[in-house]
Each structure stands twice: as C-alpha cells, then as structure tokens.
Amino acid sequence: MTKSLAPFEADCSRCFGLCCVALSFERGSQFGHDKAAGQPCHHLAEDFRCRIHERREALGYEGCEAFDCLGAGQRASAMFAGENWRRDASVARRLYASFSLLMRLQEMRQALETAADLEIGAVLQDERRALLARLAEQAESGREDVAETASATLAEAKAFLKRLAPTLAG
C-alpha cells in the first residue's frame, strides 16, 4: 500500500534528491559551496540521501533547511523511475524540466489553497476551485506531456491571483 501524503508534503524517501541535483546554489550565508544546476551536491549519497542532513545548519547549509519542493520531487521522480537519467543527459534534462514545472504547479496550488480563506464571494471562489482542480489534475497526472496545458493553466491562475490583489489591500 502506498503512503498517502498531503498535496504539498515532500517525501524525500521517494525522490532522487532533485533539490540536491537539479537546482543550483552559490556559496554564501545559505550554502557552504557553489553547485551548478544538474550537478549533484557533493554531500549527496548514491542512495539520494544527504550525508550531512543532521548537521546541515551547523555546516552552513541553511538554504537546504529552508527549501521545500512541496512534493514536486517525488512526483517528478515517479515519472522517471524507469529511465536512466543519471547516464542519459537528455533524460536528465526532461526530468529537471518536469521537476521545475511541478514546483511551479505545487506553488500555485498552495497559493490558491491559501486564497480559500479570503472573502472573495462565491463566483470567485468557484473560479478558484476550478483552477485548483485543473492544477491538481496536471500535477498528479504523472505525465510529462502536460507542460503546454500546465503553462496555460499557470498563467490563468496567476492572472486570477492578480485580480484578487484589491481584496488584500482592503
């Protein structure tokens, strides 16, 4: 039986360590060394676990502590579970693109969930729920080919949230 997670809960045990591979970071107050996008962090073990997890903050990796993929990592990893992304650069690029898209979908889903608490009236709440349902379907589809439709839905959701700005100011 598969463990059920909240829509925005990251499960690092079901991820390829994508935050430690796909993303870049620069040495500074948040990270202890420079890392290029697509290159594994030198603290990432072969099993995709962090070798310094318990000591991240003490070693200068507060950015790792603060980062949350909102569950995009395990979703992207599941999509590419049967492919050899470590040895095939084209597969890796597709995986990283899917991870990036899923992060944007998850962030927008979270924003629309948060907007449920706003007093915006029934019509806007219905529009919010419809957008949220479309984003959820795209994020949970497990399909790589949702990028074009997801991009359009993300643009609609962004425009919707901008329309809510006067509600927040008032």
Side-chain angles (χ1 to χ4, degrees), residues 105 108-109 112-113 125-141 153 157:
L105 287 168
M108 188 60 75
R109 287 174 72 187
L112 289 172
E113 283 286 351
Q125 283 292 2
D126 287 346
E127 186 176 348
R128 181 195 65 79
R129 281 190 287 273
L131 282 166
L132 188 55
R134 285 173 42 208
L135 290 167
E137 180 182 329
Q138 291 161 350
E140 303 299 338
S141 73
T153 307

Side-chain angles (χ1 to χ4, degrees), residues 118-121 124 162-170:
L118 297 175
E119 293 182 26
I120 57 175
L124 287 175
K162 281 184 179 181
R163 289 187 4 237
L164 299 183
T167 305
L168 299 173

Side-chain angles (χ1 to χ4, degrees), residues 5-160:
L5 295 171
F8 310 115
E9 187 178 341
D11 183 352
C12 299
S13 72
R14 294 174 28 202
C15 181
F16 297 144
L18 293 175
C19 60
C20 304
V21 178
L23 304 178
S24 67
F25 54 77
E26 293 181 10
R27 181 184 180 110
S29 63
Q30 298 292 303
F31 297 101
H33 70 281
D34 291 333
K35 190 193 88 56
Q39 298 299 312
C41 173
H42 58 252
H43 297 298
L44 186 66
E46 284 296 312
D47 66 355
F48 308 116
R49 305 289 65 88
C50 179
R51 288 192 288 253
I52 63 163
H53 184 81
E54 296 79 21
R55 303 174 294 144
R56 288 178 298 182
E57 188 174 356
L59 294 173
Y61 290 85
E62 292 177 16
C64 299
E65 288 283 322
F67 182 77
D68 186 350
C69 76
L70 303 173
Q74 72 255 17
R75 286 171 175 83
S77 295
M79 289 170 60
F80 288 84
E83 298 193 50
N84 194 342
W85 62 275
R86 288 211 232 186
R87 291 194 176 87
D88 186 333
S90 67
V91 174
R93 282 190 298 277
R94 291 177 22 237
L95 170 62
Y96 303 156
S98 293
F99 176 56
S100 176
L101 176 63
L102 285 163
M103 282 190 6
R104 292 193 325 268
L105 287 168
Q106 290 298 91
E107 289 166 352
M108 188 60 75
R109 287 174 72 187
Q110 188 175 57
L112 289 172
E113 283 286 351
T114 302
D117 296 334
L118 297 175
E119 293 182 26
I120 57 175
V123 172
L124 287 175
Q125 283 292 2
D126 287 346
E127 186 176 348
R128 181 195 65 79
R129 281 190 287 273
L131 282 166
L132 188 55
R134 285 173 42 208
L135 290 167
E137 180 182 329
Q138 291 161 350
E140 303 299 338
S141 73
R143 294 187 5 241
E144 195 178 348
D145 64 352
V146 299
E148 191 171 309
T149 57
S151 293
T153 307
L154 284 165
E156 283 181 59
K158 183 176 179 181
F160 173 79

